[in-house]
Amino acid sequence: MKINFPLVIVGSQWGDEGKGKIVDLLSNQATHVVRYNGGNNAGHSVVLNGEKFKLSLLPSGVLHKKKLFLSQGVVIDPKVLLDEISFFEKRKIKVNLTIDPRVNVVMPYHKALDRATEIWKGKKATGSLHLGIGYCYEDKNNRFGVRFEDLINATSLKERLELIFPLKKLQIEKVYGQKFDLTMETIYKEYNRYGRKLKKYLGDVSFCLAKEIKKSRVLFEGAHGTFLDGVFGTWPYTTAVYTIAGGVFPYVGLSPQKIYSMGIVKAYTTRVGNGPFPTELFDKTGNKIREIGGEFGTVSKRPRRCGWLDLCLVRTAIRLSGLDYLAITKLDVLSAVDKIRVCTHYVIASEAKQSQKKRSLRRFTPRDDKGKIIKEVPALMSDFTKCKPVYKEFRGWRNDISKVRRFEDLPKEAKIYIKFIEKQSRVPIKYIFVGPERSQTIIL
Ligand code: GDP
Ligand code: MG
């Protein structure tokens, strides 16, 4: 079965599933690549000929010299964007980019507010990187932002700053009691300079893609992952945006229509920052996965929390985004583990305790009739924090699979593992990744 377009790429866990690599691979088949949500807090890494490219705003299609778009759902930090553009242009890779005028701009006071709020939240901090993304979205929703249209127009930029800046300064200094040394004039000068450089990229992304989507092959690159969705994720430890596939329509400005979706599932689970994580590992196996998988943030360098694959997350992601295809990434990392576990469902804590006693080596299911078996992430976060994972155990393969290119050539144990995931999720697996390089891919 071939992959259909238009196609949206969705992270099925807490982000960092390897979306960068899949978008890079699929960009080859696409004509237009669109980043539609998030800001530069989402990092992608793409490896090409041993060289690692880190992208936080430019769509990964940049390496294939495709037509690139930043739609209105994205917020841009203009300095970061300009740095990324110049990085590629220095390597003689032309950046063919269109930025929607409705895109909101991350301002220095967003970063200051981000930091101040995280300090105030203390132990309950979201785990933000202080990049100001959430605060930029707050202003966007409150119609108190600076849009790309304003950034590239000196008069509008000035007017917006005159309205917004004094209040932000008061908030940071008087409400949060933090220092904020930047003046309106400094910010204006710096941002006006960015605006002048970025002006040439202006274009109506909604209008352009409404036409192209019918006749071209449009790829939508989602940032983050399903459980970082600002509504359906593990709230409040989430981002400020929709990360589920349906977000494409308002975030680009498209009418409802069939857009195919591919869910990216890492062969185990990771998450950065705080929040519930039922299958988290705190032992040597977790450390091993982190080291071998290189599970440290692309942007933040923070060690990622690691744990077993959780099918409850995958099922929920499939329901929320109507996933048509799956890609399993980082299967090679599990070569280092003797016994591999997969969470097939949850039970609520009190019942889980009883069932632990009856747990057999390969599988345990609570016998207690009153025990509530949960197969998807519950809507109530108070329930989710009580969920205990129930595992099925698989034998590891302990062979290097990084050079395997055909499914048939995988060790028997790895095939069993993949087939189990496919059967449980009832969505066809189209790709298996066995390494970070473009070539380290098994196509099914
Ligand atoms: P994204 O945010 O979903 O794009 O993922 P990140 O780029 O943050 O994290 C994925 C990391 O895993 C990157 O460093 C990739 O180069 C790397 N990666 C992707 N696929 C594989 C794979 O199959 N095996 C290994 N070992 N690394 C991979
Ligand atoms: Mg990432």
Side-chain angles (χ1 to χ4, degrees):
M1 189 171 58
K2 68 172 185 36
I3 306 285
N4 289 308
F5 284 82
L7 180 71
V8 53
I9 302 297
V10 180
S12 306
Q13 291 143 326
W14 277 290
D16 305 316
E17 296 93 350
K19 293 178 296 296
K21 175 174 156 175
I22 195 90
V23 179
D24 173 56
L25 271 173
L26 288 167
S27 297
N28 221 349
Q29 300 176 36
T31 51
H32 299 61
V33 187
V34 188
R35 175 77 192 271
Y36 72 90
N37 63 358
N40 58 299
N41 52 346
H44 286 321
S45 329
V46 184
V47 180
L48 184 62
N49 302 330
E51 191 180 4
K52 201 164 186 171
F53 295 92
K54 292 192 176 175
L55 301 164
S56 65
L57 278 169
L58 280 180
S60 311
V62 64
L63 292 169
H64 292 276
K65 304 174 185 137
K66 300 289 170 167
K67 287 192 176 142
L68 310 176
F69 297 83
L70 295 177
S71 76
Q72 75 84 11
V74 175
V75 294
I76 58 166
D77 184 322
K79 181 173 186 313
V80 174
L81 180 59
L82 282 164
D83 285 348
E84 284 187 19
I85 293 172
S86 83
F87 175 89
F88 287 100
E89 290 192 333
K90 271 186 199 140
R91 277 144 214 266
K92 304 272 180 282
I93 296 177
K94 189 164 164 24
V95 178
N96 184 347
L97 176 69
T98 307
I99 307 174
D100 195 275
R102 309 163 185 97
V103 160
N104 273 246
V105 180
V106 181
M107 304 298 289
Y109 47 77
H110 290 136
K111 296 178 204 176
L113 279 167
D114 195 343
R115 202 177 143 265
T117 314
E118 288 281 281
I119 293 171
W120 190 80
K121 284 183 188 168
K123 271 198 185 131
K124 298 219 157 147
T126 314
S128 151
L129 304 173
H130 307 169
L131 298 174
I133 313 298
Y135 295 82
C136 183
Y137 279 110
E138 190 174 299
D139 280 346
K140 177 189 180 186
N141 291 334
N142 203 18
R143 294 136 296 138
F144 203 53
V146 173
R147 307 217 291 186
F148 187 59
E149 174 175 5
D150 305 313
L151 183 75
I152 59 175
N153 177 320
T155 317
S156 308
L157 179 62
K158 197 153 203 218
E159 272 175 22
R160 291 306 286 167
L161 277 173
E162 275 164 359
L163 173 73
I164 300 162
F165 181 83
L167 179 61
K168 297 293 176 186
K169 189 170 164 65
L170 276 176
Q171 269 181 330
I172 298 163
E173 294 185 341
K174 303 282 184 228
V175 178
Y176 290 98
Q178 302 287 328
K179 266 179 80 161
F180 189 61
D181 291 335
L182 290 176
T183 64
M184 188 159 71
E185 286 66 36
T186 350
I187 297 177
Y188 170 76
K189 267 196 200 143
E190 185 185 345
Y191 278 66
N192 186 36
R193 205 171 63 238
Y194 299 147
R196 283 206 305 268
K197 287 189 185 162
L198 288 170
K199 194 171 183 168
K200 62 178 177 192
Y201 299 112
L202 173 72
D204 185 343
V205 174
S206 158
F207 187 83
C208 172
L209 290 179
K211 284 194 292 182
E212 292 299 337
I213 201 162
K214 304 275 184 245
K215 52 182 193 204
S216 305
R217 293 167 72 79
V218 182
L219 181 66
F220 298 95
E221 171 178 336
H224 308 294
T226 301
F227 298 93
L228 293 175
D229 185 285
V231 176
F232 296 99
T234 46
W235 189 92
Y237 303 101
T238 61
T239 65
V241 295
Y242 285 111
T243 62
I244 56 175
V248 161
F249 300 112
Y251 281 159
V252 178
L254 290 169
S255 59
Q257 56 196 291
K258 176 64 189 174
I259 295 184
Y260 293 87
S261 55
M262 180 179 287
I264 314 306
V265 180
K266 188 154 24 185
Y268 47 93
T269 311
T270 61
R271 97 169 277 178
V272 179
N274 301 332
F277 180 175
T279 63
E280 182 165 13
L281 284 164
F282 300 96
D283 58 3
K284 276 193 291 196
T285 310
N287 293 339
K288 205 187 241 177
I289 290 175
R290 182 176 311 109
E291 288 306 320
I292 294 174
E295 296 298 352
F296 299 88
T298 311
V299 179
S300 65
K301 309 273 184 296
R302 283 186 291 187
R304 295 172 182 155
R305 297 158 66 191
C306 298
W308 298 119
L309 178 66
D310 183 344
L311 289 174
C312 299
L313 299 187
V314 177
R315 278 185 211 108
T316 310
I318 291 168
R319 175 173 57 82
L320 288 169
S321 290
L323 300 175
D324 297 288
Y325 320 106
L326 293 182
I328 307 294
T329 68
K330 301 192 110 167
L331 188 66
D332 54 304
V333 175
L334 292 183
S335 301
V337 182
D338 286 322
K339 285 181 186 147
I340 301 167
R341 287 182 159 195
V342 175
C343 167
T344 53
H345 58 277
Y346 307 134
V347 287
I348 292 283
S350 56
E351 291 100 31
K353 248 186 214 154
Q354 297 171 23
S355 68
Q356 291 258 355
K357 289 181 204 149
K358 298 171 192 159
R359 171 173 145 189
S360 78
L361 233 179
R362 289 191 64 79
R363 182 168 193 146
F364 69 98
T365 312
R367 299 241 175 273
D368 182 355
D369 286 339
K370 281 180 266 157
K372 208 167 151 201
I373 293 178
I374 294 164
K375 299 202 98 177
E376 285 201 22
V377 173
L380 296 176
M381 284 301 106
S382 54
D383 281 348
F384 189 48
T385 49
K386 284 186 230 140
C387 283
K388 291 281 176 256
V390 177
Y391 293 110
K392 181 170 165 62
E393 198 166 79
F394 291 82
R395 206 172 288 139
W397 44 90
R398 300 295 297 194
N399 282 333
D400 177 14
I401 57 167
S402 65
K403 294 190 178 65
V404 176
R405 298 292 176 269
R406 296 188 320 170
F407 185 76
E408 306 85 270
D409 299 337
L410 280 173
K412 188 177 92 221
E413 294 83 1
K415 283 190 225 164
I416 292 173
Y417 186 65
I418 293 289
K419 283 288 163 202
F420 182 75
I421 299 170
E422 189 166 56
K423 192 161 174 233
Q424 287 283 316
S425 55
R426 299 198 206 125
V427 177
I429 294 173
K430 301 301 291 180
Y431 291 95
I432 300 167
F433 290 176
V434 291
E437 286 274 349
R438 229 184 237 175
S439 60
Q440 290 176 301
T441 304
I442 297 171
I443 303 174
L444 291 113

